[in-house]
Amino acid sequence: MSSEHTTRSQHLYDSIAEQKHAVVDSFADQREVLKRAVAEQRLAAMPEDMRRTAMGASAHVSAEIVEALQKIIAREVTRQLDLALCAMIEQSARAHSTDGGSGGAAIQK
């Protein structure tokens, strides 16, 4: 065997080995993703009390924080909508009072 042939053989071997490792790593990554997805689906299918027990203390605290934030956000959105509605009503009332209550119709002479 010539050194050129040996170099090409080594290069081919290295290339195949890299591809094999990439495929094996890809399968391992896919397996982990599937395991997580299955675990999440099982958790989602559990009744609430069992889910909280399965999630553990830190997940329970996280769920409480998320729930509290959702309530805060809902209150703020409601407040902002109330303010927007009040502003629209006030603007409409001002517009109605400035046109003389004619409903915006032009006054004819």
Side-chain angles (χ1 to χ4, degrees):
M1 273 191 177
S2 70
S3 68
E4 183 180 319
H5 180 64
T6 303
T7 304
R8 270 193 276 169
S9 296
Q10 185 63 40
H11 177 71
L12 182 60
Y13 175 81
D14 290 343
S15 178
I16 291 171
E18 286 175 24
Q19 289 177 1
K20 179 191 122 208
H21 289 300
V23 168
V24 169
D25 290 346
S26 174
F27 286 151
D29 292 344
Q30 289 176 6
R31 182 171 181 255
E32 287 303 314
V33 168
L34 286 173
K35 282 172 62 176
R36 269 182 287 182
V38 167
E40 288 172 6
Q41 289 296 318
R42 284 183 183 153
L43 194 61
M46 288 182 185
E48 185 65 27
D49 57 336
M50 288 178 66
R51 188 176 326 145
R52 288 187 181 188
T53 302
M55 289 187 332
S58 64
H60 181 68
V61 170
S62 296
E64 288 178 352
I65 291 170
V66 167
E67 187 177 326
L69 288 172
Q70 287 173 335
K71 288 178 183 177
I72 292 168
I73 291 168
R75 280 195 306 263
E76 181 61 20
V77 167
T78 302
R79 188 181 76 78
Q80 292 290 331
L81 287 172
D82 286 344
L83 289 173
L85 286 172
C86 290
M88 288 172 54
I89 292 169
E90 186 179 312
Q91 184 180 10
S92 177
R94 275 197 310 255
H96 186 69
S97 67
T98 58
D99 69 9
S102 63
I107 301 174
Q108 296 181 353
K109 292 185 180 183

